[in-house]
Amino acid sequence: MGVAWMVAAAVAAVLASWAFNALVHLVWRPYAITRRFRAQGVRGPDYRFFTGSLGEIKRLRAEGAAVTLDVDDHDFIPMVQPHLRKWIALYGKTFVYWTGARPNVCVTDVNVVRQVLFDRTGLYPKNLMNPHISRLLGKGLVLTDGDDWKRHRKVVHPAFNMDKLKMMTATMSECARSMMSEWEAQLAKGGEVEIELSSRFEELTADVISHGVREQLRRGETGLPGAEGAPIPALKYLPTEKNLRTWKLDKQVRGMLMDIIKTRLANKDTAGYGNDLLGLMLEACAPEHGETPMLSMDEIIDECKTFFFAGHDTTSHLLTWASFLLSTHPEWQDRLREEVRRECGDEVPTGDALNKLKLVNMFLLETLRLYGPVSLIQRKTGSDLDLGGIRVPEGAILTIPIATIHRDKEVWGDAAGEFKPERFENGVTRAAKYPNALLSFSSGPRSCIGQNFAMIEAKAVVAMILQRFELELSPKYVHAPMDVITLRPRHGLPMLLRPL
Ligand code: HEM
């Protein structure tokens, strides 16, 4: 046989094996898995070749994007998670749908959610949802698993202890004051002023995490898609337009962080590491003299990227939704202002004073329940396992739709859809029929490491706004929440501000 024949035979064998694998992966396996789930009583939309349920999700989302709500209607699920609303009604609380050819089990039963989130044995590793998000977050705390995650969490933990965070309050209020003096300057001309608050809060929270980063990191430039992912993960390696943009942004971010970090390390004896969160991180990561660093420079950079992307958008949208709810509930605006005046007077709030703002805290928790910036989290099954009495195969995605669970009447009672901060009067654990029902920061060992940081920042900014301004929603506002990794108002938050 000639060489050409041998090459042709080898190519044919490779193609045949590839076609066989594709057939198994894209046809046989999904049908076999569907059969096994059905035998256990778990139903869901039919698997469609290659795209699974992604086509239907896209279609339902596009329909949802055209909807707007009344300002007192908090049920944005038909816009943000319309597929889940539809399928829960058809198939019940636990069902299976398809992210491409991967089974995706939707888990909305709080007891089963608890089983997943409180596991400490590594049964449910993180699912790398969207390659663009993964690239920008880097291999920091959010996306690592196992021993790597333990090492990172241990190193970073001290940056978030309460004393350090109380010290950060000064930086937070300094940044907030500078933002508000711009508003005051506009108001000096008299009357009221209209300000688009959501973009202002984005700048503010970026500033608090790292001064100087915000100019370069306009997340809007990335055009990141939603969190459901693509049908084939391998697409992330192709030089598509979106990938090229993500790679370019990632390179810029790395270069910029590297510069900032090097300057801070070089000047640490004279200027310290800096009074923002990056400063605290560097202090926690930097080795004492002579010790080997716990994290390499690359890992520190990834961790900084993680903190930037995990921390600034989320907190800014919490502030956005809190301001929206303050303006649509004037009675709460008055009550909170009274509390702030009582505890802080006209002074810049200290860490201790913030601790005493009980009503503000309840208000923010209810904001997080109804408009939590993270509306969905995912895990995957690390092996074939039993989940809430159902046998789930290895590699299945587990979707925990926080926003949907936060509206479940069986968990939160008949008034689940209403804005009622008083439900948190006796603390988070007593607000619902289950102690771990509030999932805005997730729960268990992998819950948000930045939650106290975010709550302190949100309390400080809300208190400072209430000390200075009256908020009234602009008639231009359109109530259309959308989820682009985090939950935000589709058309921003134009707000009328009046001096007190
Ligand atoms: C309102 C603001 C915030 C919300 C709603 C929020 C929400 C969350 C949620 C739901 C998770 C779990 C993600 C998952 O399981 O896949 C998480 C994890 C995380 N968050 Fe936040 N977050 C906020 C603010 C912050 C801030 C300010 C920082 C840092 C400065 C931060 C850093 C992180 C990190 C590093 C993790 C991963 C923790 C781990 O896996 O050990 N977050 N956050």
Side-chain angles (χ1 to χ4, degrees), residues 34-198:
T34 303
R35 264 203 318 276
R36 259 176 271 148
F37 273 123
R38 292 228 167 123
Q40 303 179 75
V42 180
R43 297 175 306 141
D46 287 339
Y47 168 71
R48 294 206 183 281
F49 179 71
F50 190 65
T51 55
S53 313
L54 293 175
E56 188 170 6
I57 294 176
K58 200 169 164 193
R59 186 178 56 75
L60 291 170
R61 281 236 177 92
E63 281 170 22
V67 178
T68 57
L69 298 174
D70 289 339
V71 291
D72 53 3
D73 186 349
H74 309 300
D75 186 14
F76 55 73
I77 303 300
M79 307 151 90
V80 168
Q81 297 171 349
H83 50 299
L84 303 183
R85 172 66 55 88
K86 176 178 172 186
W87 293 330
I88 287 171
L90 287 173
Y91 309 117
K93 276 192 165 181
T94 307
F95 62 89
V96 64
Y97 65 107
W98 296 89
T99 301
R102 279 178 82 188
N104 190 329
V105 180
C106 179
V107 183
T108 56
D109 179 321
V110 274
N111 289 322
V112 185
V113 170
R114 202 190 135 79
Q115 184 185 338
V116 174
L117 295 181
F118 279 77
D119 171 73
R120 287 181 181 273
T121 63
L123 281 177
Y124 308 101
K126 286 281 172 110
N127 178 48
L128 301 184
M129 292 201 254
N130 175 314
H132 301 279
I133 305 177
S134 312
R135 181 100 190 192
L136 293 176
L137 280 173
K139 276 202 83 57
L141 258 188
V142 175
L143 296 180
T144 43
D145 278 306
D147 288 344
D148 257 354
W149 169 75
K150 279 190 196 142
R151 185 167 52 93
H152 279 245
R153 184 116 184 172
K154 193 170 156 200
V155 173
V156 169
H157 193 251
F160 290 94
N161 83 33
M162 255 324 183
D163 291 340
K164 290 262 164 55
L165 291 184
K166 273 191 187 162
M167 273 156 46
M168 274 293 292
T169 325
T171 303
M172 291 167 180
S173 29
E174 187 57 45
C175 297
R177 208 169 43 188
S178 128
M179 173 182 77
M180 286 175 216
S181 35
E182 282 172 32
W183 303 350
E184 278 163 340
Q186 282 174 267
L187 276 167
K189 293 166 202 150
E192 61 186 22
V193 62
E194 183 175 302
I195 293 180
E196 198 291 288
L197 284 185
S198 76

Side-chain angles (χ1 to χ4, degrees), residues 3 11 58 73 81 126 131 141 145 160 175 204 282 289 298 357 381 389 403 416 419 427 446:
V3 174
V11 170
K58 200 169 164 193
D73 186 349
Q81 297 171 349
K126 286 281 172 110
L141 258 188
D145 278 306
F160 290 94
C175 297
L204 169 72
L282 288 178
H289 291 291
D298 264 358
L357 300 178
T381 45
F419 176 75
R446 302 243 20 196

